[in-house]
Amino acid sequence: MADSCKQPDAGRRIAWPTAMRLAEYLIVLEELSSDGAQVVSSRQLAALYGNNASQVRQDLASLGRTGRVGQGYAVTDLHNMIRHKLGLTRRHATAIAGCGRLGQALALHVPFTKYGMDLSAAFDVAPNIIGTRLGGLVIADTRLIPTVCRERSISLAALTVPKNSAQEVTDLLVAGGVKGILNYTRVRLKVPRDVAVQNRQIICSFILLSYAAFMHPTPDEG
Amino acid sequence: MADSCKQPDAGRRIAWPTAMRLAEYLIVLEELSSDGAQVVSSRQLAALYGNNASQVRQDLASLGRTGRVGQGYAVTDLHNMIRHKLGLTRRHATAIAGCGRLGQALALHVPFTKYGMDLSAAFDVAPNIIGTRLGGLVIADTRLIPTVCRERSISLAALTVPKNSAQEVTDLLVAGGVKGILNYTRVRLKVPRDVAVQNRQIICSFILLSYAAFMHPTPDEG
DNA sequence: TAGATTGTTAATCGATTAACAATC
DNA sequence: TAGATTGTTAATCGATTAACAATC
């Protein structure tokens, strides 16, 4: 109780670049954890992540009191505090719209459960795969998106459909009450203000890789 | 000739955030182009991208003289100048290491050719798929990575293998002379200083989507 | 000409880095 | 105790935004 006022930054709005790094620290901490590490210093974490100790400490300060002076940070505690700060301790039903190869890859290989997401529906237009199984899910008809999303309280979705149906499927997701869309198509989506879109055009990653490798003097981890 | 000294910023080192946006402008410009647009203003581009006109003009200034005062920017010219600035007019042989669902999705759906990349090899460990076709490619044994990469002058690669072989396959790619690796595994790779790594853990995209949708007051396009 | 819109400089804002006292 | 390392403040650096003269 007396401690609660000792966390000056814990409540402040977190900067976007910091949020991006926190998400990646989570991955690094898991690797450390599976290697049996129990404690990590800002210097070690920085070496693994590829930035500097000062930035790591600044980032972790946004979580409130996390480490022990002179000792470093407890790996599992830190992992939990980051998960909490990023809102990953709440649970959100998630859907995949488009069960082509990319949609399948996401459904089968992304560890949703671990990060507060429950993969609760998968949709496609192709009659020959509607009704078949993908992971633990039965693929449903794209036209059912609004009803199924409402029924299952789905609030997040990955959009992995072909270009030409991107906006159409987006409208269905929005109608279903989805509040965040991870857009893998090369279309800029039109959505209401209260719906968040994160654009992830894979070709952009390759473009930046090529740029970092051959054109950028100090290859950046951006 | 007399014009060449009129491009004050054209030669300057481009900032990383700018490079990231330039890659995305490319996608927006293609959408505009396929809609028949020939000219675009910084205001329009900003509206489509989701930033402001000032930033767009600042970004485009790094390309040298691109627009016409009072008129806007020619869509195709701009597209070409960005491609040139990002080094996409050179050609780089590219490989995919790991032909699981994600590797297959990349091989079949990413428009490499359009952006200076020639998909020139695909590798996997599974005997039952080695020798089969993926797009126009015959899948080769992972153990052949160093030789095949040398033979085909492969300089870029996507790493889409399981966690436990990530570092091992990376070492093979580096031995093959690869200079840029797009890392989709949840392992921090150890590479020599002259090799660029771009980390793209898909789960991080979902984490940030969830954060942007529910925790971040002004959902950002980061 | 008048309206529009660039190119560019200057001002602001925010993020990164450095430094160090506190302390385990 | 001495060494290590955090938490935090201050300094630097860089990126974004605003503003406007130039000009098509």
Side-chain angles (χ1 to χ4, degrees):
Chain A
M1 275 229 165
D3 273 318
S4 64
C5 55
K6 280 193 183 175
Q7 307 187 353
D9 280 334
R12 266 228 296 266
R13 190 182 176 283
I14 199 177
W16 187 255
T18 300
M20 294 199 298
R21 285 190 298 267
L22 287 176
E24 294 204 61
Y25 293 161
L26 231 35
I27 311 298
V28 177
L29 288 170
E30 279 156 33
E31 225 183 323
L32 278 167
S33 195
S34 74
D35 288 353
Q38 307 209 325
V39 169
V40 65
S41 71
S42 57
R43 217 161 116 272
Q44 292 175 292
L45 196 45
L48 288 165
Y49 179 82
N51 57 351
N52 60 64
S54 213
Q55 184 169 70
V56 168
R57 289 201 298 279
Q58 198 71 270
D59 287 342
L60 299 185
S62 68
L63 306 171
R65 183 132 298 105
T66 45
R68 291 217 279 162
V69 175
Q71 315 290 299
Y73 304 86
V75 173
T76 45
D77 286 4
L78 196 52
H79 190 271
N80 283 330
M81 294 188 81
I82 295 176
R83 287 204 326 139
H84 189 265
K85 188 71 179 187
L86 294 180
L88 307 176
T89 48
R90 308 178 188 181
R91 301 212 69 81
H92 296 290
T94 303
I96 295 198
C99 299
R101 263 167 257 258
L102 182 55
Q104 289 174 33
L106 300 184
L108 297 169
H109 302 309
V110 174
F112 292 103
T113 322
K114 229 167 144 182
Y115 300 95
M117 289 166 264
D118 298 305
L119 187 57
S120 307
F123 301 99
D124 205 281
V125 281
N128 59 312
I129 69 161
I130 290 172
T132 66
R133 293 190 153 273
L134 175 59
L137 258 31
V138 176
I139 298 175
D141 191 317
T142 300
R143 286 172 293 188
L144 298 177
I145 287 178
T147 22
V148 173
C149 285
R150 292 273 174 215
E151 276 170 17
R152 305 185 192 170
S153 308
I154 289 171
S155 56
L156 297 174
L159 187 70
T160 50
V161 300
K163 242 170 121 90
N164 52 37
S165 61
Q167 185 60 55
E168 190 187 330
V169 174
T170 298
D171 294 343
L172 294 170
L173 290 167
V174 170
V178 163
K179 292 302 174 206
I181 297 175
L182 192 53
N183 175 28
Y184 280 101
T185 78
R186 288 197 300 285
V187 175
R188 303 307 282 197
L189 304 174
K190 287 167 206 72
V191 294
R193 290 271 237 82
D194 68 329
V195 175
V197 174
Q198 291 279 309
N199 292 302
R200 288 300 126 97
Q201 285 68 43
I202 293 177
I203 185 62
C204 286
S205 296
F206 278 93
I207 289 173
L208 290 172
L209 175 69
S210 158
Y211 181 71
F214 301 113
M215 312 287 287
H216 205 69
T218 311
D220 221 311
E221 285 280 324
Chain B
M1 274 232 167
D3 273 316
S4 65
C5 55
K6 279 194 185 174
Q7 307 187 352
D9 279 335
R12 267 229 297 266
R13 191 182 175 285
I14 200 178
W16 187 254
T18 300
M20 294 199 299
R21 285 190 298 267
L22 287 176
E24 294 203 62
Y25 293 161
L26 232 34
I27 311 298
V28 177
L29 289 170
E30 280 155 33
E31 225 182 323
L32 278 167
S33 195
S34 75
D35 288 353
Q38 307 207 325
V39 169
V40 64
S41 71
S42 57
R43 217 160 116 273
Q44 291 175 293
L45 197 45
L48 289 165
Y49 178 82
N51 58 350
N52 60 64
S54 211
Q55 184 170 71
V56 168
R57 288 201 298 280
Q58 198 73 269
D59 287 342
L60 299 186
S62 68
L63 305 170
R65 182 133 297 108
T66 44
R68 290 215 279 161
V69 174
Q71 315 291 301
Y73 304 86
V75 173
T76 45
D77 286 5
L78 197 53
H79 191 270
N80 283 330
M81 293 187 80
I82 296 177
R83 288 204 324 139
H84 189 266
K85 187 71 178 186
L86 293 180
L88 306 177
T89 49
R90 309 179 188 180
R91 300 212 69 80
H92 296 291
T94 302
I96 294 197
C99 298
R101 263 167 257 256
L102 183 56
Q104 288 173 34
L106 300 184
L108 297 169
H109 302 309
V110 175
F112 292 104
T113 322
K114 228 166 142 184
Y115 301 96
M117 289 166 262
D118 299 304
L119 187 57
S120 309
F123 301 98
D124 205 282
V125 281
N128 58 313
I129 68 161
I130 290 172
T132 64
R133 292 189 154 273
L134 175 58
L137 259 31
V138 175
I139 298 174
D141 190 317
T142 300
R143 284 172 294 189
L144 297 177
I145 287 177
T147 22
V148 173
C149 285
R150 292 274 173 213
E151 275 170 17
R152 305 185 192 170
S153 307
I154 288 170
S155 57
L156 298 174
L159 188 70
T160 49
V161 301
K163 242 168 119 90
N164 52 36
S165 60
Q167 185 58 54
E168 190 186 331
V169 174
T170 297
D171 295 341
L172 293 171
L173 290 168
V174 170
V178 163
K179 293 301 174 207
I181 297 174
L182 192 51
N183 177 28
Y184 280 101
T185 78
R186 288 197 300 286
V187 174
R188 304 307 283 197
L189 304 174
K190 289 167 205 73
V191 295
R193 289 273 235 81
D194 68 329
V195 176
V197 174
Q198 291 279 307
N199 292 302
R200 289 299 127 98
Q201 285 69 43
I202 292 177
I203 185 63
C204 287
S205 296
F206 279 93
I207 290 173
L208 291 172
L209 174 69
S210 157
Y211 181 72
F214 302 113
M215 311 288 287
H216 205 70
T218 313
D220 220 312
E221 284 280 324

